[in-house]
Amino acid sequence: MSIPRRLGLTLAALAALGATGTSRPPEPAEPLRALTELSAQRLATADQVAAVKWAGGDPIDDPAREREVIRRARVEARRAGADPDAVARVFRDQIDANKLVQRALHTRWRADPDAAPTDASGTAETPETPEGSIAGELSAIRAEIDRLNADLLTTLTGLTPGPDCPALRGRALDETGDRRQLDPLHTHALGHALRSLCPTAG
């Protein structure tokens, strides 16, 4: 089984992320900004997951994994005294936003194979790699997603959305998008990830 050599950079990238502590929830004055930043970090993994699944020919949907993530979110929400249904809705949106990016990238790569992940030199030549390495790459990325999920849950259960939530969410999305220089695809997906956050947001 061949996978793009640059996928090997995933572990190093995740290690660097952990070393700098950016996987822990930031502590700005506005908790909603922290939640938006964590959502953006989670969404950034979609590109890595898409590349690994592309290399392995794996489907984007993983119902068992998705059910487990939401089940865990419900359990932890109850433990924290939060509304498990509200928390589950946000996590469902987080999962769907990630898949939105994955699907868009796979569609792009099918339409333009030259744009699909290749080796570090930019050619279509890739080294032979054991099949287990693909599972290992995906497992490492999912471990990072699990850490971000825990941070998201901690921040989410400490948040009490008020009538100004939609405006604050919009501001946080704009600030995060500008800071991270998100393209239209990721900007749209980030908005989707937080669409259920404000109950009064129509």
Side-chain angles (χ1 to χ4, degrees):
M1 173 68 67
S2 297
I3 66 171
R5 200 180 306 159
R6 71 182 181 193
L7 294 186
L9 298 175
T10 299
L11 292 176
L14 292 179
L17 184 63
T20 57
T22 52
S23 66
R24 293 191 293 274
E27 300 177 346
E30 176 51 64
L32 208 152
R33 286 179 183 157
L35 193 65
T36 305
E37 172 58 26
L38 286 167
S39 296
Q41 290 180 30
R42 191 185 193 283
L43 189 62
T45 67
D47 298 64
Q48 299 168 324
V49 173
V52 172
K53 287 181 176 179
W54 177 268
D58 298 322
I60 288 171
D61 292 299
D62 188 343
R65 160 77 177 176
E66 294 169 24
R67 283 194 299 270
E68 176 58 20
V69 168
I70 292 177
R71 184 198 69 79
R72 230 182 290 169
R74 284 182 174 278
V75 168
E76 294 303 321
R78 289 191 190 95
R79 193 170 294 164
D83 180 353
D85 290 336
V87 169
R89 282 194 296 271
V90 173
F91 270 84
R92 177 76 260 171
D93 289 341
Q94 295 278 331
I95 291 168
D96 289 345
N98 200 292
K99 292 196 297 182
L100 189 156
V101 171
Q102 292 180 50
R103 287 197 179 96
L105 291 175
H106 279 210
T107 297
R108 185 182 303 169
W109 296 338
R110 281 193 294 270
D112 182 8
D114 289 340
T118 58
D119 70 353
S121 69
T123 71
E125 231 177 287
T126 55
E128 287 299 320
T129 310
E131 282 190 36
S133 67
I134 293 179
E137 289 280 354
L138 192 55
S139 178
I141 299 168
R142 283 177 169 172
E144 178 62 19
I145 292 174
D146 287 343
R147 285 190 287 272
L148 288 166
N149 285 346
D151 292 344
L152 275 163
L153 189 60
T154 297
T155 307
L156 184 60
T157 55
L159 186 68
T160 305
D164 57 348
C165 178
L168 292 174
R169 179 184 59 182
R171 192 179 312 153
L173 287 169
D174 288 344
E175 290 173 354
T176 301
D178 289 344
R179 184 173 63 255
R180 287 179 164 268
Q181 298 184 316
L182 298 182
D183 62 14
L185 170 60
H186 291 78
T187 297
H188 172 66
L190 183 58
H192 187 102
L194 294 172
R195 67 175 185 167
S196 297
L197 185 63
C198 304
T200 59

